[in-house]
Amino acid sequence: MRAAAARSARIADMEGAPMARRKKIYEGKAKILYEGPEPGTIVQYFKDDATAFNAEKKDVIDGKGVLNNRLSEFFMNGLTQIGVPNHFIRRLNMREQLVRNCEIVPLEVIVRNYAAGTMSKRLGIAEGTQLPRPIVEYCYKDDSLGDPLVTEEHIAAFGWASQQDMDDILSLALRVNDFMSGVMLAVGIRLVDFKIEIGRVFDGDYQRLIVADEISPDSCRLWDIETGQKLDKDVFRRDLGNLTDAYSEVARRLGVLPQSNVTKPTLIN
Ligand code: CDP
Protein backbone atom coordinates (compact mmCIF):
# COMPACT_ATOMS: atom_id res chain seq x y z
CA MET A 1 0.00 0.00 0.00
CA ARG A 2 2.75 2.38 1.06
CA ALA A 3 4.76 1.41 -2.04
CA ALA A 4 1.77 2.17 -4.26
CA ALA A 5 1.26 5.57 -2.61
CA ALA A 6 4.94 6.41 -2.98
CA ARG A 7 4.80 5.33 -6.60
CA SER A 8 1.80 7.50 -7.42
CA ALA A 9 3.40 10.43 -5.59
CA ARG A 10 6.53 9.96 -7.69
CA ILE A 11 4.48 9.83 -10.88
CA ALA A 12 2.47 12.91 -9.84
CA ASP A 13 5.76 14.63 -9.14
CA MET A 14 6.94 13.83 -12.67
CA GLU A 15 3.97 15.57 -14.23
CA GLY A 16 4.94 18.92 -12.85
CA ALA A 17 8.66 18.28 -12.72
CA PRO A 18 10.79 20.66 -14.71
CA MET A 19 12.60 18.88 -17.49
CA ALA A 20 15.96 19.77 -16.05
CA ARG A 21 15.38 17.28 -13.21
CA ARG A 22 15.08 14.34 -15.56
CA LYS A 23 17.94 12.50 -17.13
CA LYS A 24 17.88 12.74 -20.89
CA ILE A 25 18.42 9.34 -22.51
CA TYR A 26 18.21 10.25 -26.15
CA GLU A 27 17.27 13.15 -28.41
CA GLY A 28 15.90 12.36 -31.86
CA LYS A 29 14.57 14.52 -34.66
CA ALA A 30 11.02 14.89 -33.31
CA LYS A 31 11.19 13.50 -29.76
CA ILE A 32 13.29 13.46 -26.62
CA LEU A 33 13.39 10.47 -24.27
CA TYR A 34 13.91 10.95 -20.53
CA GLU A 35 14.33 8.43 -17.75
CA GLY A 36 10.92 7.47 -16.36
CA PRO A 37 9.76 7.53 -12.72
CA GLU A 38 9.81 3.71 -12.45
CA PRO A 39 12.30 1.12 -13.70
CA GLY A 40 11.27 -0.01 -17.16
CA THR A 41 9.52 3.25 -18.04
CA ILE A 42 10.58 6.27 -20.05
CA VAL A 43 9.08 9.67 -20.71
CA GLN A 44 8.58 10.50 -24.38
CA TYR A 45 8.56 14.27 -25.05
CA PHE A 46 7.17 15.48 -28.42
CA LYS A 47 9.04 18.44 -29.91
CA ASP A 48 7.70 20.91 -32.45
CA ASP A 49 10.60 20.20 -34.80
CA ALA A 50 9.79 18.88 -38.24
CA THR A 51 12.39 17.31 -40.49
CA ALA A 52 12.19 15.71 -43.91
CA PHE A 53 14.50 14.15 -46.48
CA ASN A 54 16.78 12.78 -43.78
CA ALA A 55 16.85 16.18 -41.97
CA GLU A 56 17.89 18.18 -45.07
CA LYS A 57 14.68 20.20 -44.62
CA LYS A 58 13.99 21.46 -41.08
CA ASP A 59 11.56 23.78 -39.34
CA VAL A 60 9.81 24.34 -36.03
CA ILE A 61 6.04 23.98 -36.35
CA ASP A 62 4.10 25.56 -33.50
CA GLY A 63 1.87 22.99 -31.77
CA LYS A 64 2.94 19.91 -33.73
CA GLY A 65 4.33 18.16 -30.64
CA VAL A 66 1.11 18.72 -28.69
CA LEU A 67 -0.97 17.26 -31.51
CA ASN A 68 1.27 14.24 -32.05
CA ASN A 69 1.31 13.50 -28.31
CA ARG A 70 -2.51 13.42 -28.29
CA LEU A 71 -2.86 11.55 -31.56
CA SER A 72 -0.30 8.89 -30.67
CA GLU A 73 -2.08 8.42 -27.32
CA PHE A 74 -5.39 8.00 -29.17
CA PHE A 75 -4.06 5.39 -31.62
CA MET A 76 -2.06 3.43 -29.04
CA ASN A 77 -5.07 3.33 -26.68
CA GLY A 78 -7.19 2.02 -29.55
CA LEU A 79 -4.62 -0.68 -30.25
CA THR A 80 -4.67 -1.66 -26.57
CA GLN A 81 -8.48 -1.92 -26.76
CA ILE A 82 -8.22 -4.48 -29.57
CA GLY A 83 -5.35 -6.38 -27.96
CA VAL A 84 -2.40 -5.15 -30.00
CA PRO A 85 0.47 -4.84 -27.48
CA ASN A 86 2.20 -1.46 -27.47
CA HIS A 87 4.47 0.66 -25.29
CA PHE A 88 1.95 3.34 -24.23
CA ILE A 89 1.20 3.62 -20.50
CA ARG A 90 -0.40 7.05 -20.12
CA ARG A 91 -0.16 10.66 -21.16
CA LEU A 92 1.51 12.89 -18.57
CA ASN A 93 0.86 16.35 -19.94
CA MET A 94 0.55 18.33 -23.17
CA ARG A 95 3.83 17.13 -24.62
CA GLU A 96 4.82 14.06 -22.66
CA GLN A 97 3.69 10.48 -22.30
CA LEU A 98 4.89 7.63 -20.11
CA VAL A 99 5.85 4.57 -22.14
CA ARG A 100 7.43 1.17 -21.54
CA ASN A 101 11.12 1.09 -22.09
CA CYS A 102 12.00 -1.39 -24.80
CA GLU A 103 14.84 -2.37 -27.06
CA ILE A 104 14.00 -1.00 -30.49
CA VAL A 105 14.38 -3.48 -33.36
CA PRO A 106 16.55 -1.56 -35.88
CA LEU A 107 13.91 -1.67 -38.61
CA GLU A 108 11.32 0.75 -39.91
CA VAL A 109 8.29 -1.32 -40.75
CA ILE A 110 6.29 0.31 -43.54
CA VAL A 111 2.83 -0.81 -44.61
CA ARG A 112 1.41 0.49 -47.89
CA ASN A 113 -2.16 0.34 -49.14
CA TYR A 114 -1.78 2.83 -52.00
CA ALA A 115 1.38 3.72 -53.91
CA ALA A 116 3.09 6.97 -52.81
CA GLY A 117 6.47 8.44 -51.95
CA THR A 118 9.50 6.25 -52.48
CA MET A 119 7.46 3.28 -53.70
CA SER A 120 6.00 5.35 -56.53
CA LYS A 121 9.48 6.60 -57.44
CA ARG A 122 11.17 3.23 -57.19
CA LEU A 123 8.59 1.27 -59.18
CA GLY A 124 7.12 4.01 -61.39
CA ILE A 125 3.59 3.57 -60.04
CA ALA A 126 1.41 6.70 -60.02
CA GLU A 127 0.79 8.10 -56.51
CA GLY A 128 -2.64 7.04 -55.28
CA THR A 129 -2.82 3.74 -57.17
CA GLN A 130 -4.45 1.14 -54.92
CA LEU A 131 -2.14 -1.82 -54.35
CA PRO A 132 -3.45 -5.37 -54.94
CA ARG A 133 -2.99 -6.01 -51.20
CA PRO A 134 -1.20 -4.30 -48.32
CA ILE A 135 2.55 -4.48 -48.91
CA VAL A 136 4.95 -4.55 -45.96
CA GLU A 137 8.49 -3.25 -46.41
CA TYR A 138 11.46 -3.13 -44.04
CA CYS A 139 14.11 -0.43 -43.92
CA TYR A 140 17.27 -0.66 -41.83
CA LYS A 141 17.21 2.17 -39.26
CA ASP A 142 20.37 4.15 -39.97
CA ASP A 143 20.14 7.86 -40.76
CA SER A 144 23.69 8.00 -42.10
CA LEU A 145 22.67 5.44 -44.76
CA GLY A 146 19.25 7.04 -45.35
CA ASP A 147 17.31 4.07 -43.89
CA PRO A 148 17.87 1.69 -46.84
CA LEU A 149 15.25 -0.85 -47.89
CA VAL A 150 16.26 -4.36 -46.83
CA THR A 151 14.85 -7.85 -47.35
CA GLU A 152 14.15 -10.59 -44.80
CA GLU A 153 17.41 -12.17 -46.01
CA HIS A 154 19.42 -9.20 -44.72
CA ILE A 155 17.42 -9.14 -41.50
CA ALA A 156 18.06 -12.85 -40.82
CA ALA A 157 21.69 -12.83 -41.98
CA PHE A 158 22.66 -9.82 -39.87
CA GLY A 159 20.62 -11.04 -36.89
CA TRP A 160 18.43 -7.93 -36.57
CA ALA A 161 15.41 -10.16 -35.92
CA SER A 162 14.75 -13.91 -35.86
CA GLN A 163 12.30 -15.72 -38.11
CA GLN A 164 9.82 -15.90 -35.19
CA ASP A 165 10.26 -12.14 -34.64
CA MET A 166 9.57 -11.51 -38.34
CA ASP A 167 6.34 -13.53 -38.18
CA ASP A 168 5.27 -11.51 -35.12
CA ILE A 169 6.30 -8.19 -36.70
CA LEU A 170 4.31 -8.95 -39.86
CA SER A 171 1.23 -9.85 -37.89
CA LEU A 172 1.53 -6.72 -35.67
CA ALA A 173 2.00 -4.52 -38.76
CA LEU A 174 -1.07 -5.94 -40.50
CA ARG A 175 -3.22 -5.60 -37.37
CA VAL A 176 -2.13 -1.97 -36.96
CA ASN A 177 -2.94 -1.45 -40.65
CA ASP A 178 -6.47 -2.85 -40.33
CA PHE A 179 -7.13 -0.83 -37.18
CA MET A 180 -5.73 2.44 -38.55
CA SER A 181 -7.41 2.00 -41.96
CA GLY A 182 -10.79 1.47 -40.28
CA VAL A 183 -10.44 4.35 -37.82
CA MET A 184 -9.44 6.69 -40.64
CA LEU A 185 -12.10 5.47 -43.07
CA ALA A 186 -14.74 6.26 -40.44
CA VAL A 187 -13.73 9.93 -40.55
CA GLY A 188 -13.34 10.20 -44.33
CA ILE A 189 -9.57 9.75 -44.46
CA ARG A 190 -7.61 7.25 -46.55
CA LEU A 191 -4.64 5.58 -44.87
CA VAL A 192 -2.21 5.50 -47.79
CA ASP A 193 0.80 4.14 -45.88
CA PHE A 194 2.51 4.37 -42.50
CA LYS A 195 5.61 3.41 -40.60
CA ILE A 196 5.86 1.75 -37.20
CA GLU A 197 8.73 0.74 -35.01
CA ILE A 198 8.81 -2.41 -32.92
CA GLY A 199 10.24 -2.84 -29.43
CA ARG A 200 11.43 -5.91 -27.60
CA VAL A 201 10.41 -6.25 -23.94
CA PHE A 202 11.55 -8.90 -21.52
CA ASP A 203 9.35 -10.52 -18.87
CA GLY A 204 11.94 -12.66 -17.10
CA ASP A 205 13.37 -15.04 -19.70
CA TYR A 206 10.45 -14.48 -21.99
CA GLN A 207 10.65 -11.78 -24.69
CA ARG A 208 7.85 -10.34 -26.73
CA LEU A 209 7.44 -7.67 -29.37
CA ILE A 210 5.27 -4.59 -29.00
CA VAL A 211 4.45 -1.53 -31.10
CA ALA A 212 6.68 1.34 -29.94
CA ASP A 213 7.76 4.89 -30.93
CA GLU A 214 4.72 6.85 -32.17
CA ILE A 215 1.79 6.66 -34.53
CA SER A 216 0.92 10.13 -35.79
CA PRO A 217 0.52 12.13 -39.03
CA ASP A 218 4.34 12.43 -38.96
CA SER A 219 4.59 8.72 -39.75
CA CYS A 220 1.47 8.12 -41.88
CA ARG A 221 0.18 9.33 -45.23
CA LEU A 222 -3.40 10.48 -44.77
CA TRP A 223 -5.54 11.78 -47.63
CA ASP A 224 -9.06 13.15 -47.49
CA ILE A 225 -11.19 10.55 -49.31
CA GLU A 226 -13.36 13.16 -51.07
CA THR A 227 -10.84 15.80 -52.05
CA GLY A 228 -7.51 13.97 -51.88
CA GLN A 229 -6.19 16.77 -49.63
CA LYS A 230 -3.05 15.70 -47.78
CA LEU A 231 -3.33 15.75 -43.98
CA ASP A 232 0.13 14.43 -43.06
CA LYS A 233 3.81 15.35 -43.08
CA ASP A 234 3.81 15.65 -46.90
CA VAL A 235 2.22 19.09 -46.27
CA PHE A 236 5.61 20.06 -44.82
CA ARG A 237 7.79 17.95 -47.16
CA ARG A 238 6.11 19.39 -50.27
CA ASP A 239 5.23 22.89 -48.97
CA LEU A 240 1.49 22.38 -49.34
CA GLY A 241 0.32 24.69 -46.53
CA ASN A 242 0.13 24.83 -42.77
CA LEU A 243 1.11 21.55 -41.08
CA THR A 244 -0.61 22.27 -37.75
CA ASP A 245 -3.87 23.01 -39.56
CA ALA A 246 -3.64 19.62 -41.31
CA TYR A 247 -2.88 17.70 -38.08
CA SER A 248 -5.59 19.66 -36.20
CA GLU A 249 -8.08 18.59 -38.86
CA VAL A 250 -7.19 14.92 -38.29
CA ALA A 251 -7.47 15.41 -34.51
CA ARG A 252 -10.77 17.27 -34.86
CA ARG A 253 -12.34 14.56 -37.02
CA LEU A 254 -11.25 11.86 -34.58
CA GLY A 255 -12.66 13.84 -31.66
CA VAL A 256 -9.22 14.00 -30.08
CA LEU A 257 -9.28 17.78 -29.80
CA PRO A 258 -12.98 18.73 -29.69
CA GLN A 259 -12.09 22.36 -29.14
CA SER A 260 -8.65 22.74 -30.55
CA ASN A 261 -6.50 24.09 -27.70
CA VAL A 262 -3.53 24.76 -29.92
CA THR A 263 -5.00 27.76 -31.73
CA LYS A 264 -3.29 31.05 -31.07
CA PRO A 265 -4.96 33.51 -28.68
CA THR A 266 -6.94 36.20 -30.49
CA LEU A 267 -6.61 39.83 -29.53
CA ILE A 268 -9.89 41.38 -28.34
CA ASN A 269 -10.05 45.11 -28.98
O1 CDP B 1 8.96 9.36 -46.33
P1 CDP B 1 9.30 8.96 -47.73
O2 CDP B 1 8.32 9.37 -48.77
O3 CDP B 1 10.70 9.26 -48.09
O4 CDP B 1 9.35 7.39 -47.68
P2 CDP B 1 8.26 6.30 -47.90
O5 CDP B 1 9.06 5.03 -47.89
O6 CDP B 1 7.41 6.56 -49.08
O7 CDP B 1 7.37 6.36 -46.58
C1 CDP B 1 6.31 5.49 -46.32
C2 CDP B 1 5.59 5.94 -45.08
O8 CDP B 1 6.43 5.75 -43.95
C3 CDP B 1 5.20 7.41 -45.07
O9 CDP B 1 3.93 7.53 -44.44
C4 CDP B 1 6.27 8.08 -44.26
O10 CDP B 1 5.77 9.21 -43.58
C5 CDP B 1 6.65 6.98 -43.27
N1 CDP B 1 8.06 7.06 -42.88
C6 CDP B 1 8.41 7.55 -41.64
O11 CDP B 1 7.54 7.88 -40.84
N2 CDP B 1 9.71 7.65 -41.27
C7 CDP B 1 10.69 7.27 -42.10
N3 CDP B 1 11.95 7.37 -41.71
C8 CDP B 1 10.37 6.77 -43.37
C9 CDP B 1 9.04 6.67 -43.73
Side-chain angles (χ1 to χ4, degrees), residues 29 53 108 110 112 116-119 121-122 137 139 147 193-195 217-221 233-234 237-238:
K29 285 175 282 195
F53 313 118
E108 309 221 314
I110 294 173
R112 300 177 185 274
T118 51
M119 174 184 247
K121 284 203 202 89
R122 204 182 314 120
E137 294 176 347
C139 293
D147 300 332
D193 58 29
F194 65 94
K195 178 222 50 165
D218 266 8
S219 53
C220 300
R221 280 199 172 90
K233 209 166 91 173
D234 275 348
R237 290 191 191 97
R238 304 178 187 188

Side-chain angles (χ1 to χ4, degrees), residues 58-79:
K58 284 188 210 172
D59 206 349
V60 175
I61 315 279
D62 238 12
K64 180 175 85 80
V66 175
L67 284 157
N68 281 351
N69 187 26
R70 294 298 289 257
L71 284 163
S72 202
E73 171 192 25
F74 176 80
F75 297 129
M76 296 289 183
N77 273 336
L79 289 174

Side-chain angles (χ1 to χ4, degrees), residues 165-180:
D165 289 343
M166 290 312 292
D167 293 348
D168 293 349
I169 290 173
L170 181 66
S171 111
L172 283 173
L174 292 175
R175 287 202 71 193
V176 173
N177 186 43
D178 283 348
F179 169 75
M180 292 292 292

